[in-house]
Amino acid sequence: MSERIFIEDLQNHVGSSVTIMGWVAVRRDQGKMVFFDFRDMTGSVQGVALPGSTAIETAKEVKTESAVAITGTVNKRPEKNVQADRQNGNIELQIESIAILNISETPPFEIADTAQVGEDTRLAYRYIDLRSERMQRNIRLRSRFVQLCREFLFKNKFTEIETPLLTESTPEGSRDFVVPSRLHPGNFYALPQSPQQYKQLLMVGGFERYFQIAKCVRDEDLRADRGFEFSQIDIEMSFVKRDDVINLMEAMITESVEAMGYTIKQKPFPRLTYADAMEKYAADKFDMRTEEDKTNGVLAYAWVIDFPFFEKTDDGKWTFTHNPFSMPKAEHVEWLLKGENIGEILTTQYDLVCNGYESGGGSIRAHRPEILKATYKAMGYSDAEIEEKIGHMLEAFKYGAPPHGGIAFGIERNVMNLANESYLREVVAFPMSRGGQSAVMKAPKPLTPEQMIELGIKIDKKA
Ligand code: ASP
């Protein structure tokens, strides 16, 4: 067996005998001859086992989706048989031998057409679903998008830094997922709703330009475009003003999606105030595309700025609209410090909207302790509660915390737009089901009695 050649490189080996490795996508037994489509991660190619060839016996028994190594000669097809619209449509592999590396049972569904397959089946056998053209395309698209953003960030002096998963609750307006502590029975970690506080602490720590492909976990109702877990390109910068962040991030998105061949509807991206957006679209996430733009896969980005900082909760208290760590707009800092006109205070928050979805969002932060404290006062927290919640941030900000701001881009939502998919699970390798069950594996599930004892946990049967 010769060295393995990837299917996309076969064009360079016309006339030679080569070995490819991959899966049997299609097998057509025509009696004397057997035709195949073989597939690897780089594409597909047709193969034929001729009558009397050493491979014909195996060719007749190998089942589709088996993993195989095929040795054969790369032949040019006669002009009349060329399939110009297919990858490798001008060549065919004349099979000399088939080594079955692992046979496949009949898969639970047809990989060529998963659109009709139910969600539960697709997720239970996700590893088979992932072999489909759609999933291969979407997951690679995701990887490419992240790669391009990463390259842009490295080019612009950013450092990639990881922050803890087992941590304290950080407010993003959602419920926490919690993890019991064995060493400290009765105490719990929270999984991060975002790395918000750690990334700000990195600014105090002098890193100035941070990014991370961060996993965020939020216990909120599941929707088509929202799961318990998601990933974001999380960014924070020091010594910046709102427009510095907006301009650099606009360059990152523009360079990345244009390198992938997409067209952007309007550059620079339009900027609308929240008030204008509500008047024009009656929403702060809006779609500016025409029907023609939609057919052509155009991306319509816009920034929304000047959001109200606070809104009323059902019980009449004030809460933050986006992020409690934000800086109010300069002209409203005094109001916040004095606790006046709370409903009219605008924040430095900026959201990036694309094709009706929120692509990203961030703000300039309150880097002076008295401003952050005033935000919590406005929301009705007592001094003791403020100390308990964010005392560590107020303390950190006492030591020359630089002015800073940042943003986060939801990777799934951005890739959904690029892939033209309406469901988050189509751009995630192992997404959860609508009911919150993990793909392939069976979580959530009960702990063993031994684990419960070790963690000091009892379940209230009535619950
Ligand atoms: N922490 C915010 C979020 O996760 C993003 C940011 O303000 O940077 O939505």
Side-chain angles (χ1 to χ4, degrees):
M1 209 186 286
S2 41
E3 189 193 337
R4 180 201 184 177
I5 304 287
F6 286 107
I7 287 176
E8 71 178 359
D9 298 329
L10 286 175
Q11 295 290 335
N12 306 328
H13 297 270
V14 174
S16 330
S17 174
V18 298
T19 297
I20 59 166
M21 293 185 191
W23 290 266
V24 177
V26 176
R27 190 176 68 101
R28 284 184 302 277
D29 191 338
Q30 299 208 335
K32 289 195 179 126
M33 294 190 262
V34 184
F35 288 93
F36 291 94
D37 285 345
F38 297 113
R39 182 183 73 231
D40 73 8
M41 67 170 180
T42 68
S44 67
V45 65
Q46 222 187 83
V48 57
L50 295 174
S53 78
T54 47
I56 195 76
E57 290 306 313
T58 328
K60 283 186 165 296
E61 65 183 42
V62 61
K63 294 185 67 178
T64 52
E65 293 311 319
S66 297
V68 289
I70 308 292
T71 302
T73 305
V74 185
N75 287 335
K76 273 249 183 281
R77 289 203 199 178
E79 204 56 50
K80 63 177 183 7
N81 290 346
V82 168
Q83 291 178 287
D85 54 338
R86 274 187 69 172
Q87 183 193 17
N88 291 325
N90 62 332
I91 56 171
E92 138 185 299
L93 205 57
Q94 189 181 318
I95 303 170
E96 287 145 20
S97 75
I98 302 176
I100 300 176
L101 305 176
N102 209 348
I103 54 169
S104 175
E105 292 192 7
T106 306
F109 48 82
E110 282 279 341
I111 289 154
D113 181 21
T114 53
Q116 308 309 322
V117 183
E119 176 192 293
D120 289 349
T121 312
R122 281 182 66 198
L123 293 187
Y125 294 94
R126 186 58 157 185
Y127 41 87
I128 293 176
D129 189 32
L130 287 172
R131 291 184 188 175
S132 69
E133 209 179 305
R134 176 191 196 175
M135 291 312 303
Q136 288 275 320
R137 178 183 59 113
N138 289 356
I139 300 297
R140 283 176 209 289
L141 200 72
R142 176 180 176 136
S143 164
R144 179 84 181 124
F145 173 68
V146 172
Q147 178 195 356
L148 288 162
C149 292
R150 240 196 186 112
E151 283 170 2
F152 177 95
L153 292 166
F154 282 131
K155 226 170 39 199
N156 283 283
K157 299 187 166 52
F158 283 79
T159 304
E160 185 170 8
I161 308 176
E162 290 174 78
T163 53
L165 274 184
L166 295 175
T167 176
E168 196 182 340
S169 175
T170 191
E172 291 285 353
S174 183
R175 246 176 255 110
D176 287 326
F177 269 96
V178 295
V179 180
S181 161
R182 176 182 59 81
L183 279 183
H184 305 277
N187 290 288
F188 296 82
Y189 300 96
L191 298 177
Q193 291 184 33
S194 85
Q196 182 68 37
Q197 300 190 51
Y198 283 116
K199 71 172 168 176
Q200 291 192 242
L201 293 171
L202 285 168
M203 297 304 105
V204 185
F207 280 95
E208 291 196 40
R209 288 187 170 201
Y210 139 97
F211 88 96
Q212 170 177 207
I213 309 303
K215 274 268 182 189
C216 303
V217 192
R218 300 181 188 179
D219 187 359
E220 50 193 357
D221 294 338
L222 299 170
R223 289 198 312 230
D225 64 338
R226 199 157 77 179
F228 288 149
E229 300 183 41
F230 60 93
S231 301
Q232 60 187 27
I233 305 177
D234 194 49
I235 290 166
E236 198 73 11
M237 303 166 71
S238 290
F239 305 108
V240 285
K241 295 214 160 57
R242 183 186 74 187
D243 286 359
D244 300 321
V245 182
I246 288 188
N247 292 340
L248 193 70
M249 293 299 107
E250 186 165 326
M252 178 183 85
I253 293 291
T254 303
E255 274 189 30
S256 301
V257 302
E258 286 186 346
M260 294 170 82
Y262 290 90
T263 305
I264 293 174
K265 188 174 170 77
Q266 196 180 331
K267 291 189 296 184
F269 304 167
R271 291 183 193 180
L272 286 83
T273 63
Y274 172 75
D276 287 348
M278 292 309 282
E279 195 180 306
K280 202 160 167 199
Y281 300 101
D284 58 358
K285 298 176 208 27
F286 42 84
D287 197 342
M288 301 177 302
R289 291 173 303 167
T290 59
E291 282 308 317
E292 197 186 339
D293 291 337
K294 287 185 186 172
T295 334
N296 296 335
V298 167
L299 299 167
Y301 290 101
W303 292 101
V304 184
I305 53 174
D306 291 356
F307 288 90
F309 200 160
F310 299 98
E311 65 190 0
K312 278 262 157 85
T313 59
D314 292 341
D315 54 7
K317 288 197 184 126
W318 290 110
T319 186
F320 57 91
T321 59
H322 287 79
N323 192 330
F325 297 100
S326 298
M327 182 75 107
K329 289 199 77 183
E331 57 271 32
H332 295 164
V333 171
E334 277 310 305
W335 283 350
L336 182 63
L337 289 173
K338 290 191 185 136
E340 288 171 1
N341 307 329
I342 300 298
E344 283 149 61
I345 298 176
L346 297 179
T347 153
T348 53
Q349 176 80 23
Y350 29 83
D351 276 5
L352 183 64
V353 174
C354 179
N355 297 2
Y357 288 103
E358 185 186 316
S359 154
S363 63
I364 298 301
R365 323 299 184 187
H367 66 286
R368 292 197 345 244
E370 68 276 16
I371 304 178
L372 180 57
K373 199 166 173 186
T375 301
Y376 276 79
K377 279 255 178 230
M379 296 191 294
Y381 287 80
S382 69
D383 283 342
E385 286 166 339
I386 293 175
E387 188 50 38
E388 156 66 23
K389 282 244 174 240
I390 49 153
H392 53 280
M393 298 299 279
L394 297 172
E395 177 69 13
F397 287 171
K398 287 182 196 160
Y399 304 97
H404 61 284
I407 193 164
F409 296 92
I411 294 176
E412 288 80 8
R413 289 185 190 187
N414 279 280
V415 178
M416 280 166 69
N417 281 339
L418 301 180
N420 199 19
E421 293 282 6
S422 329
Y423 291 95
L424 182 124
R425 63 174 177 274
E426 305 300 351
V427 299
V428 179
F430 295 102
M432 275 189 179
S433 72
R434 242 175 283 244
Q437 302 280 328
S438 51
V440 187
M441 297 202 239
K442 292 186 188 54
K445 62 180 188 186
L447 298 178
T448 62
E450 294 76 24
Q451 285 174 308
M452 300 281 279
I453 291 165
E454 205 167 48
L455 293 167
I457 289 183
K458 280 206 181 76
I459 298 289
D460 181 353
K461 291 281 191 250
K462 293 188 293 278

